[in-house]
Amino acid sequence: MEKRLTKQPGGRRHELKVRLTDEQRAKVSGRASAAGVSISRLMVEAALSGITRTATERRAIVIELLAVRRLVVALGNNVNQIARVANATEQVPAEVPAAMDAVVRVLARLDAKASEMSPS
């Protein structure tokens, strides 16, 4: 069941007309249906969310997230190697502080991207 927009004092006096291809209409309708809202509500909420980005901006975000993912994988390997040494020698390797600093830097990059992607 589609959720309707709540009534507004004085109503909604402005109407917009949007022209779509059959393919665009099908995609928009599918997204609205999946979200359980009307097409109008989907479009209003999308437009007012403050998260409008160009395809180029979205690609840049994906590229950055993939780069951070590669760093996380590399850090995981480094931490595993450090743990292996620590378990074998029963001593904390000197590389631990540098590895932890790297983890903090990667998390900061992830936080920055998450903040950039969230609504204002």
Side-chain angles (χ1 to χ4, degrees):
M1 179 171 165
E2 291 185 354
K3 295 180 186 174
R4 296 183 51 85
L5 292 171
T6 58
K7 290 189 177 193
Q8 296 293 311
R12 290 183 172 83
R13 288 176 263 191
H14 303 283
E15 182 178 340
L16 296 176
K17 184 174 184 177
V18 178
R19 294 183 183 268
L20 304 171
T21 65
D22 290 341
E23 181 182 341
Q24 290 170 330
R25 168 67 188 219
K27 286 182 180 180
V28 170
S29 179
R31 288 185 72 180
S33 178
V37 297
S38 67
I39 291 174
S40 296
R41 181 172 180 174
L42 176 77
M43 294 181 86
V44 167
E45 288 182 358
L48 297 178
S49 71
I51 310 178
T52 53
R53 290 191 174 71
T54 65
T56 302
E57 291 169 326
R58 288 190 304 270
R59 277 192 296 275
I61 290 169
V62 169
I63 288 168
E64 174 69 11
L65 290 173
L66 290 173
V68 172
R69 183 187 184 282
R70 284 189 298 276
L71 288 174
V72 169
V73 168
L75 282 171
N77 287 334
N78 289 347
V79 169
N80 281 337
Q81 290 170 356
I82 290 169
R84 194 173 301 121
V85 169
N87 287 330
T89 64
E90 295 184 3
Q91 294 181 353
V92 177
E95 296 83 6
V96 169
M100 294 304 104
D101 287 343
V103 169
V104 169
R105 286 192 309 274
V106 169
L107 290 176
R109 276 178 76 174
L110 283 173
D111 287 345
K113 275 298 151 194
S115 293
E116 187 179 312
M117 293 175 66
S118 62
S120 308

